[in-house]
Amino acid sequence: MPQRKILIVEDDRVVVGLVKASLKNDFVVRSVETIAACVELLQNETDFDLIFIDRMLPDGDGLNLCGQIRQMDSLSQVPVIFLSAKDSEADKVSGLFAGADDYMTKPFGPLELKARVMARLRVQSRKMSAGRLHLDVDGFRAFVLNGENKDELSLTPNEFKILLALMQSLGEVLSREVLLSRVWSESTFVNDR
C-alpha cells in the first residue's frame, strides 16, 4: 500500500521541520512556503491525504488558500488543518468557517499534532473519493460530483460493496476471487457469471 502523503503550506522552516519529524515514520511530508507555490503544486499533484496551512503566509492569508482547495473537485474532501500563531476565538472560528477541519495554534506538541492527524484520517477513511466519485461508507451512499451538485447513485447493497472494494484498492487489479470474498459471505453461492 502506498505511503500516505501530507502537504504543509508554511514559511517557517522550524515549524516545517517539527511537522516532518513528527510524521516522518508514517507519512511522506511535502512542504511549500507560499499560496502561489501550493496552487502550482496542486495543479499537478492532488493525491494528498491531509493538508496543513499556516494563516500568515508571505503572499496572503491561508483562509483564501483553504477556500481555493475546497473548490477543487479532487481535493474538496481532503482534511485541512490550520497551524497558526493566530489564536483568538475569532481566528479559530474563521478558519473553521473557511472550510478547515481543525485548527491548531502554535506552539504545538508533536504528539498532539500526530494524534490530530490520525483522528482526522480515521474520520476521513469513512468517506472515500476517486475523481468525481464519492462514497459515504457509514451511510452506504455513493455520489458523483456534477459541478456544484452531488448526484446520488442508486446502488444495491452488493453493488455498493463492489464499488467500495474497488475504491479501497485503487491502482490494483482485483481477481474475481478477491472481489467475491470481499462482497459475499463464504456461505453464499455465487454462480460463475
Side-chain angles (χ1 to χ4, degrees), residues 10-50:
E10 170 66 68
D11 62 321
D12 184 332
R13 292 179 187 205
V14 173
V15 173
V16 171
L18 181 58
V19 171
K20 286 184 175 183
S22 301
L23 302 174
K24 69 180 177 185
N25 292 332
D26 301 296
F27 302 94
V28 172
V29 181
R30 298 271 314 270
S31 65
V32 293
E33 295 183 357
T34 64
I35 292 171
C38 179
V39 170
E40 185 178 336
L41 174 68
L42 294 177
Q43 289 173 352
N44 301 311
E45 223 175 305
T46 60
D47 60 341
F48 292 100
D49 296 287
L50 186 139

Side-chain angles (χ1 to χ4, degrees), residues 29-88:
V29 181
R30 298 271 314 270
S31 65
V32 293
E33 295 183 357
T34 64
I35 292 171
C38 179
V39 170
E40 185 178 336
L41 174 68
L42 294 177
Q43 289 173 352
N44 301 311
E45 223 175 305
T46 60
D47 60 341
F48 292 100
D49 296 287
L50 186 139
I51 301 172
F52 285 109
I53 303 174
D54 184 16
R55 286 283 311 271
M56 297 180 290
L57 294 162
D59 57 347
D61 191 330
L63 291 176
N64 297 328
L65 176 59
C66 184
Q68 289 178 55
I69 289 170
R70 289 295 176 233
Q71 296 299 314
M72 299 176 184
D73 286 345
S74 57
L75 293 165
S76 64
Q77 301 298 312
V78 172
V80 172
I81 299 176
F82 276 113
L83 284 178
S84 180
K86 291 183 145 198
D87 61 358
S88 74

Side-chain angles (χ1 to χ4, degrees), residues 125-164:
S125 70
R126 305 308 298 163
K127 295 178 180 173
M128 304 180 80
S129 299
R132 295 181 18 222
L133 182 63
H134 297 274
L135 294 186
D136 174 0
V137 178
D138 293 327
F140 278 84
R141 298 170 71 193
F143 302 92
V144 174
L145 287 181
N146 188 7
E148 293 295 315
N149 301 321
K150 280 177 30 174
D151 299 326
E152 186 167 1
L153 299 175
S154 177
L155 301 174
T156 67
N158 283 340
E159 289 170 337
F160 182 86
K161 289 178 189 175
I162 291 169
L163 188 56
L164 175 61

Side-chain angles (χ1 to χ4, degrees), residues 96-129:
L96 295 170
F97 278 134
D101 297 283
D102 202 352
Y103 194 108
M104 292 182 66
T105 57
K106 299 173 190 175
F108 55 87
L111 293 177
E112 179 186 3
L113 178 89
K114 187 169 183 179
R116 286 183 187 240
V117 167
M118 300 310 278
R120 275 294 136 210
L121 293 178
R122 261 195 318 275
V123 170
Q124 189 64 18
S125 70
R126 305 308 298 163
K127 295 178 180 173
M128 304 180 80
S129 299

